[in-house]
Amino acid sequence: MRIVSTIYLLILSITAFSQVRYAGKVETGYLSFLSRTITVEPGPNWKGYYLNNSQNGIAINFSNGISLANRRLFSGLGIGYLNFEGIQGFSAYGEVEYIPLKKAFSPLFNLKIGYDHIWNQYPGGTGTLNAEINAGINYNLYKKVGVYLKTGIRLTQQSIFIPAIFGIRF
């Protein structure tokens, strides 16, 4: 009972000092191929790297979640469409984004962790963990709408990418 009341008081204190609000994000980005994360010595059943030709990609993502601390902290779940020069796929992820300043222009920091699946040369395609860490700049257009540009590093499908992402937060 003591643990339940402690958790209840913690949640109450968080929501009392910062309003919890629904928030959403739509973003699109270009994924520039940097390098592979593994090197394989081919065996008899090997069909090639997951992205055989070191393809660049595009991503379109939509995230739903909550914002705290005057819309400076976002936490949510998202889905996305991937296209690596003809190899299509999807992603599902959780993310946390932080905007440290209350000004019109502010830096932002983002972390995404999830799952990517692409339909490549392997039967049924391949699915791997994805991890992405980004930093960028946010501009608040209105009180509840912001636009941002960010870049960083993304690990997925045995490859490392440098993303360039443009998004709208509402």
Side-chain angles (χ1 to χ4, degrees), residues 77-146:
L77 300 174
I79 57 171
Y81 167 76
L82 301 169
N83 189 326
F84 295 98
E85 297 179 11
I87 297 176
Q88 297 181 29
F90 74 90
S91 65
Y93 56 87
E95 75 173 306
V96 175
E97 186 169 85
Y98 180 61
I99 301 171
L101 304 177
K102 292 182 181 180
K103 309 217 182 247
F105 279 100
S106 176
L108 72 82
F109 304 97
N110 180 272
L111 173 67
K112 290 182 186 175
I113 297 176
Y115 173 80
D116 284 351
H117 188 93
I118 60 172
W119 286 274
N120 54 11
Q121 70 273 20
Y122 286 90
T126 55
T128 63
L129 173 76
N130 78 43
E132 185 173 325
I133 187 163
N134 294 301
I137 185 113
N138 180 71
Y139 176 69
N140 290 325
L141 290 172
Y142 305 104
K143 184 176 180 180
K144 296 182 180 181
V145 178

Side-chain angles (χ1 to χ4, degrees), residues 3 73 91 112-113 154 162:
I3 294 173
L73 179 63
S91 65
K112 290 182 186 175
I113 297 176
R154 180 179 181 135
I162 303 295

Side-chain angles (χ1 to χ4, degrees), residues 9-150:
L9 288 173
L10 180 65
I11 291 170
L12 184 62
S13 68
I14 289 171
T15 59
F17 292 109
S18 64
Q19 295 179 356
V20 176
R21 295 188 176 139
Y22 164 79
K25 294 175 21 172
V26 176
E27 60 187 27
T28 184
Y30 181 76
L31 306 173
S32 178
F33 181 86
L34 184 62
S35 68
R36 294 197 193 330
T37 58
I38 65 167
T39 303
V40 174
E41 289 191 29
N45 294 328
W46 190 62
K47 293 180 177 32
Y49 291 103
Y50 292 170
L51 294 170
N52 244 356
N53 299 320
S54 306
Q55 293 99 321
N56 297 319
I58 61 166
I60 300 170
N61 299 320
F62 179 71
S63 300
N64 279 309
I66 58 172
S67 66
L68 302 164
N70 280 341
R71 302 185 51 80
R72 293 181 16 219
L73 179 63
F74 173 85
S75 178
L77 300 174
I79 57 171
Y81 167 76
L82 301 169
N83 189 326
F84 295 98
E85 297 179 11
I87 297 176
Q88 297 181 29
F90 74 90
S91 65
Y93 56 87
E95 75 173 306
V96 175
E97 186 169 85
Y98 180 61
I99 301 171
L101 304 177
K102 292 182 181 180
K103 309 217 182 247
F105 279 100
S106 176
L108 72 82
F109 304 97
N110 180 272
L111 173 67
K112 290 182 186 175
I113 297 176
Y115 173 80
D116 284 351
H117 188 93
I118 60 172
W119 286 274
N120 54 11
Q121 70 273 20
Y122 286 90
T126 55
T128 63
L129 173 76
N130 78 43
E132 185 173 325
I133 187 163
N134 294 301
I137 185 113
N138 180 71
Y139 176 69
N140 290 325
L141 290 172
Y142 305 104
K143 184 176 180 180
K144 296 182 180 181
V145 178
V147 294
Y148 55 87
L149 289 170
K150 60 186 178 179

